[in-house]
Amino acid sequence: MYSLAQSVAIRGAAGEPIPHPFTGLSRLEVEFRRGEFSLVVAGPGTGKSLFALNLALHGNIPVLYFSADSGAATQVSRATSIITGSDVREVKRRLLEGDFNEYAGALAQRWWVRFVYHARPSLADLEVTLAAYFEVFGCYPHLVVVDNITNIDVGSIGDAESFTFSLEGLCEYLSEMARETRAHVLALHHVTGEHSDGTKPIPLSGVKGKIGRVPSLILTIFKEIDGMDGRVLHVSDVKNREGFEDSSGQTYSSYELDRTSLRLVPADATF
């Protein structure tokens, strides 16, 4: 046990925010703090993986990304476009044709951003990979992304009640991982059925499995699409232990998706 004065000394990097590009969220007092666990929740196809990737590639910090939901070709194409600003269609074409040397230098600069592509990783896989990361780089990642939480293999699940229980237990495990490694652990998750179209604000009650107890931060994302295939992502902080929150989801910051580079650009709107 520790006194308050001793607690100052043992804190280490816990509580330090990692850099992020989401200025509107900063105005809402949202930070991604090391040593804490968060959830990003949205319907299918809304853009939660792009949100996580934009965060992971900002600031060139140590990152470990468990990409169970997307394969290497998808992530390499997206990441290359976000880093270089190049058209993602051209990047994907050149990747498939084996003509990728132009981008090698830019990707090499992100040498401590590492991806794991197991479709169904176990808890043991997570632990072994984290240990391997520490062995290679001499530190734990500052950001760990789990994309997404329902892809983690936690054993057999018999019914809806055991599904919720296993998710809550997994959240506790990831929260403990954040404390032990001083990483910010961010997991992506789905919404309940009535919010799956992703076109209106999603409240805290819209988190699938009602697993809002453990995370220190929960963001929900809904989308707005215009007739020209433009897309704006609206991000609501429905739970935030360190600042402002609105569990209704009606308060959000907005980001335009650049369909060429896949970068999320602040729309200078906070509602």
Side-chain angles (χ1 to χ4, degrees), residues 3-16:
S3 69
L4 291 174
Q6 291 169 328
S7 296
V8 173
I10 68 161
R11 177 187 66 85
E16 293 180 0

mmCIF file with all atom_site columns, all heavy atoms in Angstrom, residues 3-16:
data_model
loop_
_atom_site.group_PDB
_atom_site.id
_atom_site.type_symbol
_atom_site.label_atom_id
_atom_site.label_alt_id
_atom_site.label_comp_id
_atom_site.label_asym_id
_atom_site.label_entity_id
_atom_site.label_seq_id
_atom_site.pdbx_PDB_ins_code
_atom_site.Cartn_x
_atom_site.Cartn_y
_atom_site.Cartn_z
_atom_site.occupancy
_atom_site.B_iso_or_equiv
_atom_site.pdbx_formal_charge
_atom_site.auth_seq_id
_atom_site.auth_comp_id
_atom_site.auth_asym_id
_atom_site.auth_atom_id
_atom_site.pdbx_PDB_model_num
ATOM 1  N N   . SER A 1 3  ? 1.173  5.694  0.436   1.00 0.00 ? 3  SER A N   1
ATOM 2  C CA  . SER A 1 3  ? 0.626  6.975  0.856   1.00 0.00 ? 3  SER A CA  1
ATOM 3  C C   . SER A 1 3  ? 0.353  7.821  -0.381  1.00 0.00 ? 3  SER A C   1
ATOM 4  O O   . SER A 1 3  ? 0.774  7.477  -1.505  1.00 0.00 ? 3  SER A O   1
ATOM 5  C CB  . SER A 1 3  ? 1.609  7.700  1.768   1.00 0.00 ? 3  SER A CB  1
ATOM 6  O OG  . SER A 1 3  ? 2.749  8.125  1.019   1.00 0.00 ? 3  SER A OG  1
ATOM 7  N N   . LEU A 1 4  ? -0.329 8.953  -0.223  1.00 0.00 ? 4  LEU A N   1
ATOM 8  C CA  . LEU A 1 4  ? -0.569 9.835  -1.357  1.00 0.00 ? 4  LEU A CA  1
ATOM 9  C C   . LEU A 1 4  ? 0.747  10.352 -1.926  1.00 0.00 ? 4  LEU A C   1
ATOM 10 O O   . LEU A 1 4  ? 0.913  10.440 -3.161  1.00 0.00 ? 4  LEU A O   1
ATOM 11 C CB  . LEU A 1 4  ? -1.461 11.002 -0.931  1.00 0.00 ? 4  LEU A CB  1
ATOM 12 C CG  . LEU A 1 4  ? -2.914 10.642 -0.609  1.00 0.00 ? 4  LEU A CG  1
ATOM 13 C CD1 . LEU A 1 4  ? -3.653 11.855 -0.069  1.00 0.00 ? 4  LEU A CD1 1
ATOM 14 C CD2 . LEU A 1 4  ? -3.620 10.110 -1.850  1.00 0.00 ? 4  LEU A CD2 1
ATOM 15 N N   . ALA A 1 5  ? 1.688  10.682 -1.047  1.00 0.00 ? 5  ALA A N   1
ATOM 16 C CA  . ALA A 1 5  ? 2.989  11.160 -1.520  1.00 0.00 ? 5  ALA A CA  1
ATOM 17 C C   . ALA A 1 5  ? 3.725  10.080 -2.297  1.00 0.00 ? 5  ALA A C   1
ATOM 18 O O   . ALA A 1 5  ? 4.338  10.341 -3.343  1.00 0.00 ? 5  ALA A O   1
ATOM 19 C CB  . ALA A 1 5  ? 3.834  11.634 -0.337  1.00 0.00 ? 5  ALA A CB  1
ATOM 20 N N   . GLN A 1 6  ? 3.668  8.829  -1.819  1.00 0.00 ? 6  GLN A N   1
ATOM 21 C CA  . GLN A 1 6  ? 4.300  7.726  -2.534  1.00 0.00 ? 6  GLN A CA  1
ATOM 22 C C   . GLN A 1 6  ? 3.597  7.453  -3.860  1.00 0.00 ? 6  GLN A C   1
ATOM 23 O O   . GLN A 1 6  ? 4.227  7.064  -4.847  1.00 0.00 ? 6  GLN A O   1
ATOM 24 C CB  . GLN A 1 6  ? 4.294  6.473  -1.662  1.00 0.00 ? 6  GLN A CB  1
ATOM 25 C CG  . GLN A 1 6  ? 5.223  6.549  -0.451  1.00 0.00 ? 6  GLN A CG  1
ATOM 26 C CD  . GLN A 1 6  ? 4.991  5.399  0.519   1.00 0.00 ? 6  GLN A CD  1
ATOM 27 O OE1 . GLN A 1 6  ? 3.869  4.909  0.658   1.00 0.00 ? 6  GLN A OE1 1
ATOM 28 N NE2 . GLN A 1 6  ? 6.059  4.973  1.188   1.00 0.00 ? 6  GLN A NE2 1
ATOM 29 N N   . SER A 1 7  ? 2.284  7.657  -3.889  1.00 0.00 ? 7  SER A N   1
ATOM 30 C CA  . SER A 1 7  ? 1.514  7.423  -5.118  1.00 0.00 ? 7  SER A CA  1
ATOM 31 C C   . SER A 1 7  ? 1.969  8.341  -6.237  1.00 0.00 ? 7  SER A C   1
ATOM 32 O O   . SER A 1 7  ? 1.909  7.971  -7.419  1.00 0.00 ? 7  SER A O   1
ATOM 33 C CB  . SER A 1 7  ? 0.021  7.628  -4.841  1.00 0.00 ? 7  SER A CB  1
ATOM 34 O OG  . SER A 1 7  ? -0.449 6.676  -3.903  1.00 0.00 ? 7  SER A OG  1
ATOM 35 N N   . VAL A 1 8  ? 2.407  9.556  -5.883  1.00 0.00 ? 8  VAL A N   1
ATOM 36 C CA  . VAL A 1 8  ? 2.943  10.469 -6.893  1.00 0.00 ? 8  VAL A CA  1
ATOM 37 C C   . VAL A 1 8  ? 4.169  9.855  -7.558  1.00 0.00 ? 8  VAL A C   1
ATOM 38 O O   . VAL A 1 8  ? 4.329  9.896  -8.787  1.00 0.00 ? 8  VAL A O   1
ATOM 39 C CB  . VAL A 1 8  ? 3.308  11.825 -6.254  1.00 0.00 ? 8  VAL A CB  1
ATOM 40 C CG1 . VAL A 1 8  ? 4.021  12.712 -7.269  1.00 0.00 ? 8  VAL A CG1 1
ATOM 41 C CG2 . VAL A 1 8  ? 2.064  12.520 -5.728  1.00 0.00 ? 8  VAL A CG2 1
ATOM 42 N N   . ALA A 1 9  ? 5.018  9.227  -6.771  1.00 0.00 ? 9  ALA A N   1
ATOM 43 C CA  . ALA A 1 9  ? 6.274  8.688  -7.283  1.00 0.00 ? 9  ALA A CA  1
ATOM 44 C C   . ALA A 1 9  ? 6.070  7.441  -8.137  1.00 0.00 ? 9  ALA A C   1
ATOM 45 O O   . ALA A 1 9  ? 6.820  7.207  -9.091  1.00 0.00 ? 9  ALA A O   1
ATOM 46 C CB  . ALA A 1 9  ? 7.216  8.376  -6.126  1.00 0.00 ? 9  ALA A CB  1
ATOM 47 N N   . ILE A 1 10 ? 5.067  6.626  -7.815  1.00 0.00 ? 10 ILE A N   1
ATOM 48 C CA  . ILE A 1 10 ? 4.891  5.364  -8.542  1.00 0.00 ? 10 ILE A CA  1
ATOM 49 C C   . ILE A 1 10 ? 3.968  5.498  -9.742  1.00 0.00 ? 10 ILE A C   1
ATOM 50 O O   . ILE A 1 10 ? 3.759  4.537  -10.483 1.00 0.00 ? 10 ILE A O   1
ATOM 51 C CB  . ILE A 1 10 ? 4.324  4.266  -7.612  1.00 0.00 ? 10 ILE A CB  1
ATOM 52 C CG1 . ILE A 1 10 ? 2.885  4.594  -7.198  1.00 0.00 ? 10 ILE A CG1 1
ATOM 53 C CG2 . ILE A 1 10 ? 5.229  4.042  -6.427  1.00 0.00 ? 10 ILE A CG2 1
ATOM 54 C CD1 . ILE A 1 10 ? 2.125  3.414  -6.679  1.00 0.00 ? 10 ILE A CD1 1
ATOM 55 N N   . ARG A 1 11 ? 3.395  6.687  -9.948  1.00 0.00 ? 11 ARG A N   1
ATOM 56 C CA  . ARG A 1 11 ? 2.408  6.854  -11.021 1.00 0.00 ? 11 ARG A CA  1
ATOM 57 C C   . ARG A 1 11 ? 2.989  6.534  -12.381 1.00 0.00 ? 11 ARG A C   1
ATOM 58 O O   . ARG A 1 11 ? 2.319  5.963  -13.252 1.00 0.00 ? 11 ARG A O   1
ATOM 59 C CB  . ARG A 1 11 ? 1.890  8.294  -11.004 1.00 0.00 ? 11 ARG A CB  1
ATOM 60 C CG  . ARG A 1 11 ? 0.900  8.608  -12.118 1.00 0.00 ? 11 ARG A CG  1
ATOM 61 C CD  . ARG A 1 11 ? 0.552  10.090 -12.143 1.00 0.00 ? 11 ARG A CD  1
ATOM 62 N NE  . ARG A 1 11 ? 1.707  10.914 -12.494 1.00 0.00 ? 11 ARG A NE  1
ATOM 63 C CZ  . ARG A 1 11 ? 2.085  11.173 -13.743 1.00 0.00 ? 11 ARG A CZ  1
ATOM 64 N NH1 . ARG A 1 11 ? 1.420  10.640 -14.764 1.00 0.00 ? 11 ARG A NH1 1
ATOM 65 N NH2 . ARG A 1 11 ? 3.125  11.934 -13.984 1.00 0.00 ? 11 ARG A NH2 1
ATOM 66 N N   . GLY A 1 12 ? 4.258  6.886  -12.589 1.00 0.00 ? 12 GLY A N   1
ATOM 67 C CA  . GLY A 1 12 ? 4.864  6.659  -13.893 1.00 0.00 ? 12 GLY A CA  1
ATOM 68 C C   . GLY A 1 12 ? 4.181  7.475  -14.967 1.00 0.00 ? 12 GLY A C   1
ATOM 69 O O   . GLY A 1 12 ? 3.871  8.648  -14.777 1.00 0.00 ? 12 GLY A O   1
ATOM 70 N N   . ALA A 1 13 ? 3.890  6.843  -16.125 1.00 0.00 ? 13 ALA A N   1
ATOM 71 C CA  . ALA A 1 13 ? 3.265  7.547  -17.249 1.00 0.00 ? 13 ALA A CA  1
ATOM 72 C C   . ALA A 1 13 ? 1.752  7.525  -17.181 1.00 0.00 ? 13 ALA A C   1
ATOM 73 O O   . ALA A 1 13 ? 1.091  8.116  -18.047 1.00 0.00 ? 13 ALA A O   1
ATOM 74 C CB  . ALA A 1 13 ? 3.731  6.924  -18.565 1.00 0.00 ? 13 ALA A CB  1
ATOM 75 N N   . ALA A 1 14 ? 1.187  6.852  -16.187 1.00 0.00 ? 14 ALA A N   1
ATOM 76 C CA  . ALA A 1 14 ? -0.274 6.742  -16.092 1.00 0.00 ? 14 ALA A CA  1
ATOM 77 C C   . ALA A 1 14 ? -0.896 8.122  -16.000 1.00 0.00 ? 14 ALA A C   1
ATOM 78 O O   . ALA A 1 14 ? -0.444 8.986  -15.246 1.00 0.00 ? 14 ALA A O   1
ATOM 79 C CB  . ALA A 1 14 ? -0.665 5.903  -14.882 1.00 0.00 ? 14 ALA A CB  1
ATOM 80 N N   . GLY A 1 15 ? -1.944 8.334  -16.765 1.00 0.00 ? 15 GLY A N   1
ATOM 81 C CA  . GLY A 1 15 ? -2.649 9.604  -16.768 1.00 0.00 ? 15 GLY A CA  1
ATOM 82 C C   . GLY A 1 15 ? -2.194 10.566 -17.833 1.00 0.00 ? 15 GLY A C   1
ATOM 83 O O   . GLY A 1 15 ? -2.893 11.550 -18.119 1.00 0.00 ? 15 GLY A O   1
ATOM 84 N N   . GLU A 1 16 ? -1.030 10.311 -18.461 1.00 0.00 ? 16 GLU A N   1
ATOM 85 C CA  . GLU A 1 16 ? -0.559 11.202 -19.511 1.00 0.00 ? 16 GLU A CA  1
ATOM 86 C C   . GLU A 1 16 ? -1.394 10.998 -20.780 1.00 0.00 ? 16 GLU A C   1
ATOM 87 O O   . GLU A 1 16 ? -1.592 9.871  -21.226 1.00 0.00 ? 16 GLU A O   1
ATOM 88 C CB  . GLU A 1 16 ? 0.910  10.923 -19.827 1.00 0.00 ? 16 GLU A CB  1
ATOM 89 C CG  . GLU A 1 16 ? 1.867  11.275 -18.718 1.00 0.00 ? 16 GLU A CG  1
ATOM 90 C CD  . GLU A 1 16 ? 3.309  10.988 -19.082 1.00 0.00 ? 16 GLU A CD  1
ATOM 91 O OE1 . GLU A 1 16 ? 3.546  10.510 -20.222 1.00 0.00 ? 16 GLU A OE1 1
ATOM 92 O OE2 . GLU A 1 16 ? 4.197  11.209 -18.233 1.00 0.00 ? 16 GLU A OE2 1
#
